[in-house]
Amino acid sequence: GKSSGRISWFILMVLGGAALLYGDGIITPAISVLGAAEGLKSINPDFAPYVVPSSCIVLLILFVMQRHGTHRIGTIFGPVMILWFLTLGVLGTWQICLNPKVLLALNPLFGFQYLFSNPHHATLILGSVVLAITGAEALYADMGHFGRPAIARGWFLVAFPALVLNYFGQGAFALAHPEDVHNPFYAIAPEGPARFFLVGLAFAASVIASQALISGVYSLTRQAIQLGYFPRTHITHTNENIEGQIYMPFINWAMAAGSIFLVLEFKSTANLAAAYGIAVTGTMAITTLAFYYVIREKWNYPLWKALLLCGFFMLVDLAFFFSNIHKIQEGGWFPLLIGAILLSIMYVWKAGRNYIAQKLYANELEMNVVVQDIRDSNVYRVPGTAIFMAGRPTGVPVVLLHHLKSNLCIHKSVILISIVTQPVPKLDMEEEIEIMDLGEGFYRVIVPHGYMETPQAGDIVYLLGKRGVPIDTRRLTYYFNREVVFYGGQSGLWRWQKSLYGFMSRNARPVRDHYGIPPNQIVEMGLPVQL
């Protein structure tokens, strides 16, 4: 954002894409579990009434399991997914062998012929075709975890060939049995034990696919918190060996409520598909715009090259996006609503934080002036160590001035700690930490960290002790501001935005918990803020 507290259009747009991804994160578990449950009907039509209840139960179990982390069940994910894709490929290949004329579909002329002879149908068809490529956008969310080579290998060697074979197989089945097309996916498996096996496998695969998106939403939220776009919320680390495995109770239950609501509201994957397309195609179009920005600003591509590349992607994205527009009233409103709510939260939080930071640091004193002042006026120094958490690595923390004004004394050693998020996933804190001796027992410490990690206060204190900063761990006190928001300031936010900010500020997880500070070492001082 700019210094005025305003947020640039580019950042707003990227936030919009992230907000749509949350909609996707709620729809994916619902649609994939519901799709697996619909297989029950293909075993026996009498099972139809059990589709919705069984989906809700599976979703509930899935979200309850989240707090245990994924590392225990994660070990079976790989083998199950390979079995799933192998099964898809084998079933597809078998149908293609029975009816090989489906391979004529590889000739693109048929596609163009259809597009030009039935333009109205073509747009509706594109709206359904997009469902074949959904899920590909989730690969990018996991790129940070696994790296590009692993994702590329998994896609080109396993997922892509299996899916293509399966879709061709379904096509072959539809050509051979035009009267039976209600669920070709299950129909291509022979009746009896094979179909039971396929339904069971589909349930397992749907849970794993949902897990990937749920984890993606956690890491997205955590990055938003670290970059200042989302109020701090409770984060639990479920695996001490893998930094990225986290659990957020609030986000988890909000997603659970959303997914179960969708199953009860839409009742079938055919209805839910309408809601799905909008979120995915919107995210894809925004990703293309962000990509254009990166190759122009960061990689310095020439304009013609950037326009040619992104123009081609944009053409495809927008064709899909507009072919989904007609689905808004059928269910596309849901991800748009979720997206709008999340975008408001992110925008209001960031704009409010920016404005308050600006107000607090507008008439900024320099630290050396305060240290000089303390030396000259013989302020009484009490034994022990005081740690002041400073929002920015310059000037004087407001809470320190409050403390001096009200108590007229200060500890023998005073440490100002600024925790600064860097635009990289991870950093080695021990190497990057900066310590400045300001004289008179005052130290300023800057702790940079990646947006995928949350530094713990205990680790920082231990590091400082190791580096020779005088810390009396028996008499250690942390000082914080407690923000109290009043409306009626000049922030330029609307009334509802101020109320939303006030609500989030009261309910955000306190900084002390976020950085793991023991509650018996804390002093909080009220800080009135006019928005």
Side-chain angles (χ1 to χ4, degrees):
K2 307 278 190 299
S3 59
S4 68
R6 288 271 164 259
I7 295 175
S8 72
W9 68 267
F10 172 70
I11 291 198
L12 256 180
M13 184 189 72
V14 172
L15 290 180
L20 277 175
L21 207 70
Y22 279 93
D24 198 11
I26 293 173
I27 295 170
T28 299
I31 198 170
S32 36
V33 171
L34 199 51
E38 283 174 358
L40 294 172
K41 289 193 293 197
S42 70
I43 296 175
N44 185 339
D46 298 345
F47 288 161
Y50 303 112
V51 169
V52 171
S54 62
S55 304
C56 291
I57 290 167
V58 170
L59 282 171
L60 198 59
I61 294 172
L62 173 67
F63 283 105
V64 168
M65 288 301 293
Q66 291 305 314
R67 66 197 168 95
H68 300 299
T70 51
H71 53 284
R72 283 201 203 97
I73 34 176
T75 45
I76 58 167
F77 280 10
V80 171
M81 283 327 265
I82 286 180
L83 180 61
W84 166 249
F85 283 119
L86 273 176
T87 309
L88 292 189
V90 167
L91 286 173
T93 311
W94 178 50
Q95 291 294 336
I96 295 169
C97 295
L98 291 180
N99 202 352
K101 76 167 183 227
V102 71
L103 293 174
L104 288 172
L106 289 168
N107 180 349
L109 288 174
F110 290 119
F112 287 119
Q113 191 183 334
Y114 184 82
L115 283 175
F116 293 125
S117 54
N118 308 315
H120 174 65
H121 281 259
T123 52
L124 297 176
I125 289 258
L126 274 185
S128 304
V129 166
V130 77
L131 295 173
I133 54 168
T134 56
E137 81 289 347
L139 293 177
Y140 298 107
D142 290 325
M143 194 105 87
H145 287 262
F146 303 114
R148 206 191 116 209
I151 297 268
R153 279 199 303 269
W155 173 248
F156 286 114
L157 298 178
V158 184
F160 181 62
L163 289 171
V164 170
L165 287 171
N166 192 268
Y167 283 133
F168 269 88
Q170 290 185 45
F173 180 85
L175 287 174
H177 308 85
E179 74 292 338
D180 178 20
V181 287
H182 63 277
N183 201 337
F185 173 70
Y186 289 110
I188 62 175
E191 284 185 25
R195 201 170 288 183
F196 269 106
F197 171 72
L198 186 61
V199 173
L201 195 54
F203 262 120
S206 75
V207 165
I208 294 173
S210 308
Q211 184 59 57
L213 254 154
I214 295 169
S215 307
V217 168
Y218 290 158
S219 32
L220 195 69
T221 309
R222 181 207 203 153
Q223 290 168 29
I225 291 172
Q226 304 294 39
L227 297 169
Y229 288 101
F230 206 87
R232 287 176 308 277
T233 157
H234 191 80
I235 299 178
T236 319
H237 290 262
T238 55
N239 186 350
E240 55 274 13
N241 308 322
I242 302 178
E243 227 286 324
Q245 290 199 1
I246 53 175
Y247 165 65
M248 300 183 170
F250 172 72
I251 302 292
N252 186 57
W253 293 114
M255 285 171 69
S259 294
I260 291 171
F261 163 79
L262 283 176
V263 170
L264 295 171
E265 173 74 14
F266 289 93
K267 296 185 179 57
S268 80
T269 45
N271 301 342
L272 252 178
Y276 203 34
I278 293 265
V280 174
T281 50
T283 305
M284 285 177 176
I286 290 170
T287 308
T288 302
L289 285 171
F291 180 61
Y292 172 78
Y293 181 85
V294 170
I295 59 179
R296 284 287 290 156
E297 301 287 320
K298 299 275 184 288
W299 302 351
N300 302 320
Y301 269 43
L303 185 64
W304 68 270
K305 209 170 176 182
L307 281 176
L308 204 66
L309 191 58
C310 295
F312 171 69
F313 286 140
M314 207 58 188
L315 201 68
V316 177
D317 290 339
L318 291 178
F320 279 131
F321 182 70
F322 286 114
S323 66
N324 273 292
I325 284 286
H326 69 276
K327 297 181 178 177
I328 287 185
Q329 74 275 23
E330 298 164 28
W333 56 268
F334 183 81
L336 294 178
L337 176 71
I338 297 285
I341 292 171
L342 275 143
L343 187 58
S344 312
I345 288 176
M346 293 197 265
Y347 174 77
V348 168
W349 184 252
K350 185 69 169 177
R353 303 294 310 152
N354 284 357
Y355 175 75
I356 288 171
Q358 218 179 298
K359 286 279 282 193
L360 291 186
Y361 303 110
N363 42 6
E364 198 159 85
L365 273 167
E366 278 311 311
M367 202 56 219
N368 50 12
V369 178
V370 176
V371 173
Q372 184 74 32
D373 201 37
I374 288 172
R375 186 188 308 135
D376 297 346
S377 58
N378 286 330
V379 169
Y380 183 63
R381 305 298 290 267
V382 294
T385 303
I387 293 184
F388 292 92
M389 301 302 257
R392 48 174 59 193
T394 54
V396 185
V398 184
V399 62
L400 173 60
L401 296 174
H402 271 204
H403 175 62
L404 273 171
K405 201 167 74 184
S406 55
N407 299 335
L408 304 172
C409 65
I410 190 88
H411 295 67
K412 286 212 169 102
S413 73
V414 177
I415 304 170
L416 312 178
I417 297 185
S418 298
I419 296 182
V420 187
T421 307
Q422 301 296 354
V424 293
K426 290 182 181 159
L427 275 181
D428 180 4
M429 187 163 78
E430 201 157 341
E431 274 179 29
E432 304 280 341
I433 197 166
E434 283 180 64
I435 302 171
M436 287 162 267
D437 188 344
L438 307 172
E440 295 295 308
F442 280 80
Y443 293 85
R444 184 187 289 289
V445 177
I446 299 174
V447 185
H449 69 97
Y451 56 75
M452 292 287 287
E453 37 193 20
T454 313
Q456 295 299 298
D459 302 344
I460 299 172
V461 168
Y462 171 72
L463 250 180
L464 294 178
K466 235 167 78 171
R467 291 284 179 90
V469 176
I471 292 182
D472 182 350
T473 43
R474 290 187 315 278
R475 297 178 180 162
L476 179 61
T477 314
Y478 293 84
Y479 286 87
F480 287 100
N481 284 324
R482 184 71 185 243
E483 218 176 66
V484 185
V485 180
F486 294 96
Y487 313 125
Q490 310 294 305
S491 66
L493 288 176
W494 290 332
R495 177 69 219 212
W496 69 268
Q497 293 178 320
K498 292 180 183 181
S499 306
L500 176 62
Y501 181 83
F503 174 77
M504 292 194 292
S505 167
R506 285 192 301 278
N507 289 286
R509 189 178 184 217
V511 179
R512 51 168 199 257
D513 297 348
H514 195 64
Y515 296 125
I517 296 168
N520 56 352
Q521 298 183 340
I522 291 171
V523 174
E524 283 194 322
M525 310 189 97
L527 173 75
V529 178
Q530 284 272 9
L531 260 191

